[in-house]
C-alpha cells in the first residue's frame, strides 16, 4: 500500500491518537518542520512503544510518553555520532599511515599495485577455486584504487602533482583519497607478514585489527550518513580481549561476552585500543555528559534501557582506568 502525503498537523494528530503526548501549542510542529518525520518518529519510537502495531491496529505509546522524549533520544544519537566520528577519523588516518608506511617500505613508492604484492591464498584454504576468487578480489581492489587516482587527478592537488610530474602517486599520498572501506579491503588482502607489521605498530593481532577496521568502518558510515547509531548491531565482531575481561562482562552460552563484540560498546573498545589515553578519556567524558543530558530528559523509560541498547555494561565507565 502506498503512503499518502500528510501535513505536519495531520502527522501530529495521528501521534496523539497513538497515545503520544503532543501539546497543541509550543514546539511539536516546529520539531517536525525541522526534522524529518521518518527519521525522528520511526527512527526513535521503539523504546517508547507499549503495544506494537498489527495488520489491523496501530501501535500505542507508553502512557505519558511526550514527543520531547523522542526528540531527546534523537538529539543524543546525533551527539554520539559527532563524538565518535572525529575519533574514528583520527584512527582512520593512523591506520592508513601505517599501511602506507609498511607497504611502501617493502614494495616501493611508484609501482606497488601488483598482484604479487598481495596475499594470493585465503587462510586455511588451498583450492584452485579459492585462489581464483582471491585473485579476482585483488584485481578488483587494484582496479578500484586506480579508479580513485583517475577520479582525483584533476581535483586533488597532491595527486595531480605526482601524476603530472612523476607519473605515479605514492601510497602515502593515495591513502588520503581512499575510503576507510577500501583501506580495510587493502589491509585484508595484504600478505600476512605485512598485516602483522601493521598490527604490531598498534600492538594488536593482525586478525583482530582486521575485524576492528571492519566494525569501525560500519560505525563511521552510520555517523557520516546521519543514520541511527546508538543501537547498532554489526555482523562484524571484534575478538574478546583484556578489556572485556577487566570489565568482567558476562559470557553468553557460546562463551562470548554479551556486550562489546558487535554493538556500539564494541566501537568504544576498538577506539580504546587505537587511541591515545588522553583522547580516549576526552571521548568518554563527552559520552558521559551526553548520557547525563539525555537522562534528565527521559520520563517513561530509564537511561538504563538506552544503555542496554547501546551494549554498555553497568560499569562501562571503568574502561577509563583500564
Amino acid at each position: 500500500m502506498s503512503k499518502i502525503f500528510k501535513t505536519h498537523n495531520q502527522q501530529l494528530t495521528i501521534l496523539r491518537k497513538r497515545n503520544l503526548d503532543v501539546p497543541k501549542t509550543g514546539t511539536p510542529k516546529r520539531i517536525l518542520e525541522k526534522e524529518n518525520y521518518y527519521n525522528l518518529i520511526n527512527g526513535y519510537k521503539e523504546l517508547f512503544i507499549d503495544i506494537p502495531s498489527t495488520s489491523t491496529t496501530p501501535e500505542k505509546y507508553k502512557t505519558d510518553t511526550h514527543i520531547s522524549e523522542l526528540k531527546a533520544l534523537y538529539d543524543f544519537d546525533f551527539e554520539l555520532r559527532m563524538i565518535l566520528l572525529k575519533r574514528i577519523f583520527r584512527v582512520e588516518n593512523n591506520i592508513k599511515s601505517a599501511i602506507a608506511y609498511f607497504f611502501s617500505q617493502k614494495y616501493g613508492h611508484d609501482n606497488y599495485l601488483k598482484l604479487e604484492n598481495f596475499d594470493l591464498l585465503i587462510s586455511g584454504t588451498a583450492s584452485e577455486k579459492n585462489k581464483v576468487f582471491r585473485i579476482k578480489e585483488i584485481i578488483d581492489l587494484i582496479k578500484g584504487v586506480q579508479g580513485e587516482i583517475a577520479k582525483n587527478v584533476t581535483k586533488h592537488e597532491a595527486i595531480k602533482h605526482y601524476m603530472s610530474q612523476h607519473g605515479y602517486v605514492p601510497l602515502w599520498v593515495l591513502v588520503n583519497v581512499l575510503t576507510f572501506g577500501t583501506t580495510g579491503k587493502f589491509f585484508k588482502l595484504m600478505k600476512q607478514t605485512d598485516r602483522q607489521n601493521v598490527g604490531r605498530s598498534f600492538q594488536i593481532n593482525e586478525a583482530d585489527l582486521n575485524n576492528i577496521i571492519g566494525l569501525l568502518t560500519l560505525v563511521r558510515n552510520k555517523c557520516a550518513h546521519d543514520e541511527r547509531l546508538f543501537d547498532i548491531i554489526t555482523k562484524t565482531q571484534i575478538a574478546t580481549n583484556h578489556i572485556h575481561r577487566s570489565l568482567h562482562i558476562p559470557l553468553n552460552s557460546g562463551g562470548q561476552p554479551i556486550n562489546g563484540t558487535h554493538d556500539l560498546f564494541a566501537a568504544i573498545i576498538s577506539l580504546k585500543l587505537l587511541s591515545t589515553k588522553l583522547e580516549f578519556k576526552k571521548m568518554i567524558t563527552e559520552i558521559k555528559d551526553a548520557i547525563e543530558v539525555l537522562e534528565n530528559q527521559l520520563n517513561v523509560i530509564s537511561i538504563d534501557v538506552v544503555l542496554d541498547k547501546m551494549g554498555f555494561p553497568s560499569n562501562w565507565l571503568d574502561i577509563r582506568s583500564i
Side-chain angles (χ1 to χ4, degrees):
M1 180 183 295
S2 61
K3 294 289 185 178
I4 299 174
F5 171 81
K6 294 181 177 60
T7 66
H8 294 313
N9 286 331
Q10 289 173 322
Q11 291 171 339
L12 293 173
T13 297
I14 290 172
L15 292 174
R16 293 186 186 104
K17 289 180 179 179
R18 294 177 180 176
N19 203 36
L20 183 65
D21 186 353
V22 184
K24 293 188 177 180
T25 59
T27 61
K29 185 177 178 181
R30 288 197 293 276
I31 290 175
L32 293 189
E33 288 172 347
K34 290 183 177 181
E35 313 297 347
N36 182 290
Y37 178 94
Y38 176 84
N39 292 343
L40 173 62
I41 303 301
N42 289 357
Y44 295 89
K45 67 183 179 180
E46 178 188 347
L47 299 183
F48 303 96
I49 296 297
D50 184 30
I51 303 174
S53 63
T54 68
S55 58
T56 57
T57 59
E59 65 210 9
K60 291 289 184 182
Y61 286 84
K62 297 177 187 292
T63 301
D64 295 327
T65 300
H66 196 283
I67 190 172
S68 63
E69 293 182 73
L70 276 73
K71 180 62 163 54
L73 183 57
Y74 174 89
D75 290 341
F76 168 72
D77 203 38
F78 177 86
E79 189 67 21
L80 269 183
R81 291 195 294 271
M82 296 302 101
I83 291 170
L84 265 66
L85 187 57
K86 59 183 177 180
R87 272 74 191 202
I88 294 175
F89 278 159
R90 184 170 285 115
V91 164
E92 177 181 349
N93 181 66
N94 294 341
I95 291 172
K96 286 179 175 180
S97 296
I99 290 173
Y101 178 84
F102 288 108
F103 202 81
S104 299
Q105 182 185 50
K106 187 171 180 179
Y107 303 109
H109 60 278
D110 61 344
N111 194 22
Y112 49 85
L113 291 179
K114 294 180 178 180
L115 191 65
E116 61 265 28
N117 293 341
F118 295 88
D119 193 350
L120 298 178
L121 294 177
I122 299 176
S123 178
T125 65
S127 72
E128 191 64 26
K129 180 179 179 181
N130 286 327
K131 184 176 180 180
V132 170
F133 177 75
R134 174 53 63 97
I135 289 173
K136 182 182 183 303
E137 280 190 301
I138 297 169
I139 291 173
D140 287 343
L141 171 69
I142 294 173
K143 181 180 177 182
V145 170
Q146 290 172 331
E148 288 299 323
I149 295 174
K151 186 170 70 174
N152 286 279
V153 72
T154 59
K155 55 186 180 181
H156 191 283
E157 286 303 318
I159 290 179
K160 182 193 301 184
H161 167 76
Y162 272 95
M163 286 302 295
S164 61
Q165 298 297 317
H166 306 286
Y168 66 86
V169 181
L171 187 56
W172 59 82
V173 173
L174 179 58
V175 290
N176 292 313
V177 299
L178 298 182
T179 66
F180 203 12
T182 299
T183 302
K185 291 177 184 176
F186 196 105
F187 178 75
K188 178 183 177 182
L189 294 172
M190 288 166 62
K191 293 181 178 179
Q192 186 177 35
T193 54
D194 300 331
R195 296 196 305 270
Q196 289 170 340
N197 286 332
V198 175
R200 273 192 290 270
S201 70
F202 295 102
Q203 298 182 314
I204 300 175
N205 172 279
E206 57 91 8
D208 294 344
L209 180 58
N210 183 61
N211 289 336
I212 287 173
I213 292 173
L215 185 138
L216 288 180
T217 298
L218 295 172
V219 173
R220 180 199 188 283
N221 290 341
K222 286 277 186 181
C223 295
H225 296 119
D226 207 24
E227 298 178 16
R228 192 175 71 223
L229 177 68
F230 79 98
D231 61 348
I232 186 174
I233 297 294
T234 64
K235 291 182 179 179
T236 301
Q237 297 191 28
I238 66 170
T240 304
N241 57 53
H242 70 281
I243 298 175
H244 298 96
R245 292 188 286 271
S246 296
L247 291 173
H248 304 290
I249 296 177
L251 306 180
N252 59 25
S253 58
Q256 298 297 313
I258 62 173
N259 301 106
T261 60
H262 59 294
D263 47 29
L264 189 63
F265 196 57
I268 302 302
I269 290 174
S270 298
L271 291 170
K272 166 76 172 178
L273 296 171
L274 293 169
S275 303
T276 65
K277 290 183 179 180
L278 179 60
E279 188 60 38
F280 184 76
K281 285 186 177 181
K282 285 181 180 178
M283 183 186 76
I284 292 299
T285 297
E286 291 175 19
I287 293 175
K288 176 178 175 291
D289 291 345
I291 289 172
E292 289 175 353
V293 170
L294 175 62
E295 183 175 17
N296 291 331
Q297 295 175 303
L298 295 176
N299 177 43
V300 299
I301 64 172
S302 74
I303 194 64
D304 291 337
V305 173
V306 179
L307 293 175
D308 182 64
K309 278 288 187 179
M310 294 164 65
F312 279 39
S314 59
N315 63 338
W316 74 274
L317 278 172
D318 292 346
I319 197 172
R320 290 177 297 188
S321 57
I322 296 174

